Each structure stands twice: as structure tokens, then as C-alpha cells.
Amino acid sequence: TTTTTTTTSALATAAAKKFKEQDFPTLSPDALDAVVEDMRNGKDKFSMTDAMCIISGATVLFSREPNVCRVYSHEDEDGFVTVVGDIHGQLEDLLHLLKLCGMPSEKNIYVFNGDLVDRGGNGCEVVLLILAMKLQHPQFVHVNRGNHEDPHINIFGGFEEECLKKYDHGVFQAFHECFRWFPICTIVNDHAFVCHGGPPMEPDGTLVSVKWLEQIQKGPSFFESKSARRLTMKRRKKKMLRKMRMEEEREGHGVVAGSNSNVGQKTEPEDDDDDNDDDDDDD
């Protein structure tokens, strides 16, 4: 444990130093190799300081990336792009993969296609190691967002509980602040479309164009302010009630669905005041 803490502290210090000097986080190969070796020897614990530093640096990197990333294998015949499917917190699988295929490099590019956490017991270590590799090799490590990079699923899938056991809820929130910047998909050599869950489709079954995907704005954090969440829910409620009223009027009833006291009367949707609902909101 002492060895890992010392190594990852050096890793975090290096990242912080480079971030200040170049406004671009990076890591030394020796530090990352030492962390991988420690993990293979069963010393897989990152300190709170190291975890937050790695997550923060990676968040900066992903926030600068587009929603659709393009990667190209090295021109030589020995250049590879390795696409990795769901890891789901299985650290041993990730370490075995790195031993089998080698660490990221110009000729060995990795694309992790989402679902890094939940189910397995080492989601924190899996993500932190991948983010650390991203910091060391920003151009050679790419991560798509899967459905398990979502706080609602993590609450039931086990990742939230794992974060609380090993760190605290602040680290869980920091992970998701990073997750929300993950790209939607990666295009390899202009031929292979890599996206978790398959390519998006229109309601009529036609594929959504890549240009449309590139224009999608990355959404706000789930952990936004309580007032912002309340305002969003109020707007959704008003929109839903307005739609219901219009449908009833088209049918000739003029009745707001769900209202028994105003049968036969046209009723405007109420702008409910949710200011007194703070006790019911989950932070």
C-alpha cells in the first residue's frame, strides 16, 4: 500500500505540474508503468488526492474533445487500433489486456467502448488507470461513453456504493463530471464506426448522420444545482400539460386530463410553485 501511494502521488504531482506549465495535463511513462506493476501485485488502491487529480486532469482533456473522435492506425503494418468492449470493473481483465497487447503508443492505440464500471468490484481502479493512460497518451487512448457512464444506472449497478466505500460521494460526482464529457463514438481509419449500443437511428429506422452527431451539445451535469433541476422539471411539467390540453381540445372535450373538478371546462396548466419541495429533492 505504501508503494502504491508513493507512486501514484508522484504520478499526481507530475500531472499537476505539467497542467500548470502547459495548461495540458500529462504523465511520465515511468510513473504509469510503476502503477500498473503495483496493480498486478495486488496494490490497487489510489489515494483520494491521486484519484481527484487524475479525474480532474482527464476531465480537462475530454472537455476539449469532440463528440465524434477519429483515430488512425500507424502507417506501418504493425500499427494497431484495439477496440475494448465492456470491462465492468474487472481490473484483472484490463491488466491482462495490457500485458497481452502492450501499453498505449503511437503504434498501439486503444478505444475503450464504454461500460467501464458496475458489476465488478474494481470500477474505481479500472477508470483511474484508463484515465491515467489518457493523461500520458492523449492521442492514443480514447474512451466512448456507454450506458453505465450514467449516475442513475450506477446507483443500482454498484459503482456508487463502491465509491462510497473507497472514497466519498464527492469522488462519485467527480467521476461523472468526467464521464459526461466522453465522446459518443469513435471512427477508426474512416471505415469502422465504434459506438456503445450501436449507431443511433431515426424513428423510421434510418441511420443518423455523423455530421448530426458532431453537432450534439454535451449535456449538463446530473449534479447540477437543486434550483436548476427544479426549474427543468417545472418546464417539463408545463410542456406535458400543454400537450395534453391541446390533444383534448382537438378531440372536442376541452378537458385537462386527470382533472375531475373541471369537467367540461378548458383549464390552463398551473405554474406550480415548487419552492417548498426542497425537502423532497435529493442532492
Side-chain angles (χ1 to χ4, degrees):
T1 305
T2 304
T3 305
T4 304
T5 302
T6 302
T7 304
T8 52
S9 294
L11 180 148
T13 302
K17 182 178 179 181
K18 289 294 184 180
F19 179 72
K20 289 181 180 179
E21 293 177 353
Q22 305 177 3
D23 192 27
F24 197 81
T26 185
L27 296 173
S28 68
D30 293 340
L32 183 56
D33 289 342
V35 171
V36 173
E37 187 62 29
D38 283 346
M39 287 185 166
R40 286 175 179 154
N41 293 328
K43 302 173 182 178
D44 55 9
K45 175 68 174 178
F46 286 84
S47 70
M48 172 87 75
T49 302
D50 298 330
M52 290 300 289
C53 184
I54 293 171
I55 296 170
S56 299
T59 301
V60 173
L61 282 177
F62 284 113
S63 68
R64 297 176 179 179
E65 290 189 347
N67 263 332
V68 179
C69 291
R70 286 176 168 80
V71 301
Y72 300 90
S73 60
H74 197 269
E75 294 179 355
D76 296 344
E77 293 182 359
D78 57 347
F80 290 93
V81 174
T82 302
V83 177
V84 185
D86 304 15
I87 299 179
H88 281 305
Q90 300 294 336
L91 181 60
E92 292 185 0
D93 290 353
L94 176 59
L95 294 175
H96 177 71
L97 176 68
L98 295 175
K99 183 178 181 180
L100 185 68
C101 300
M103 295 294 287
S105 66
E106 183 180 5
K107 295 184 178 181
N108 191 30
I109 299 174
Y110 281 92
V111 177
F112 294 93
N113 195 27
D115 279 14
L116 307 180
V117 300
D118 286 335
R119 300 178 184 170
N122 292 102
C124 291
E125 290 75 26
V126 165
V127 178
L128 289 171
L129 179 54
I130 291 175
L131 296 185
M133 292 192 297
K134 177 69 174 178
L135 290 175
Q136 183 188 357
H137 302 291
Q139 303 301 320
F140 309 139
V141 177
H142 302 271
V143 187
N144 292 336
R145 186 171 185 177
N147 60 304
H148 280 264
E149 280 69 57
D150 179 89
H152 298 86
I153 294 181
N154 296 155
I155 290 173
F156 299 99
F159 184 56
E160 182 192 41
E161 182 179 358
E162 179 187 343
C163 288
L164 294 177
K165 286 181 178 179
K166 296 178 179 178
Y167 302 108
D168 61 19
H169 207 268
V171 173
F172 179 66
Q173 294 186 13
F175 272 123
H176 279 285
E177 180 61 23
C178 184
F179 290 167
R180 79 184 184 95
W181 294 107
F182 283 4
I184 297 174
C185 62
T186 301
I187 299 177
V188 181
N189 290 341
D190 291 331
H191 289 289
F193 181 88
V194 183
C195 178
H196 190 89
M201 293 185 176
E202 298 284 2
D204 60 0
T206 58
L207 294 177
V208 172
S209 68
V210 173
K211 289 184 178 180
W212 184 84
L213 293 176
E214 291 175 328
Q215 297 174 358
I216 295 177
Q217 297 281 334
K218 294 182 179 179
S221 173
F222 171 76
F223 302 102
E224 58 187 347
S225 67
K226 185 184 298 184
S227 60
R229 294 203 308 271
R230 191 162 57 240
L231 179 61
T232 300
M233 293 303 296
K234 183 184 291 187
R235 288 173 176 171
R236 290 177 179 175
K237 181 179 178 181
K238 290 178 66 176
K239 184 177 180 180
M240 179 186 68
L241 290 175
R242 192 158 47 241
K243 182 179 179 180
M244 291 170 62
R245 180 172 61 85
M246 292 175 63
E247 290 177 352
E248 292 289 347
E249 288 179 348
R250 280 197 295 268
E251 294 175 1
H253 299 296
V255 179
V256 174
S259 175
N260 295 324
S261 59
N262 297 315
V263 176
Q265 301 178 9
K266 293 183 179 180
T267 308
E268 295 293 331
E270 297 179 357
D271 187 6
D272 295 339
D273 186 2
D274 296 336
D275 293 341
N276 296 325
D277 296 340
D278 289 356
D279 294 338
D280 297 330
D281 289 339
D282 294 329
D283 291 324

